[in-house]
Amino acid sequence: MVTFLIILGFIFIVVLAFRGVILANMFQYQLGLKKGALEVYYIVQVEAFTPGDSIFILDNENKVSLYKSCVNNIRYMYFTIFLVVLMVFIHELT
């Protein structure tokens, strides 16, 4: 049962990672940046866990909502990673 949850968590992490790159690609297109989607994804990933304003110019509602979706997706992914690692540790201890 625990192994099934670990595999399910891993699949969920992979889906969130792909979703994050797709959201970053859409965000990059909305911003009109020349950099690639992965660079935008890494910048948003750093901004997801730091206080303060974004370095991107978020001048309309579409950009703000897409940015918040990227940030929430990254936070969900890290929380899921934490839970999967915790389940692995608990499984190994029992």
Side-chain angles (χ1 to χ4, degrees):
M1 181 66 182
V2 176
T3 305
F4 174 73
L5 290 175
I6 292 169
I7 292 171
L8 189 67
F10 177 75
I11 292 170
F12 188 63
I13 290 168
V14 171
V15 168
L16 284 176
F18 279 123
R19 182 177 182 261
V21 173
I22 291 169
L23 285 172
N25 192 15
M26 292 169 47
F27 187 54
Q28 173 219 1
Y29 179 75
Q30 284 284 329
L31 291 173
L33 295 175
K34 304 238 186 234
K35 293 188 180 229
L38 286 179
E39 286 84 0
V40 172
Y41 182 73
Y42 293 139
I43 293 171
V44 172
Q45 187 174 7
V46 169
E47 289 183 354
F49 296 103
T50 56
D53 295 331
S54 174
I55 64 167
F56 300 113
I57 300 170
L58 306 172
D59 54 357
N60 65 19
E61 191 61 37
N62 286 338
K63 292 179 186 177
V64 172
S65 66
L66 199 52
Y67 176 77
K68 287 182 180 180
S69 295
C70 289
V71 167
N72 287 335
N73 186 69
I74 290 169
R75 289 178 180 165
Y76 295 149
M77 187 176 67
Y78 274 100
F79 183 71
T80 307
I81 290 171
F82 173 75
L83 288 179
V84 169
V85 170
L86 185 66
M87 283 190 295
V88 168
F89 284 152
I90 291 171
H91 183 9
E92 289 297 319
L93 288 175
T94 59

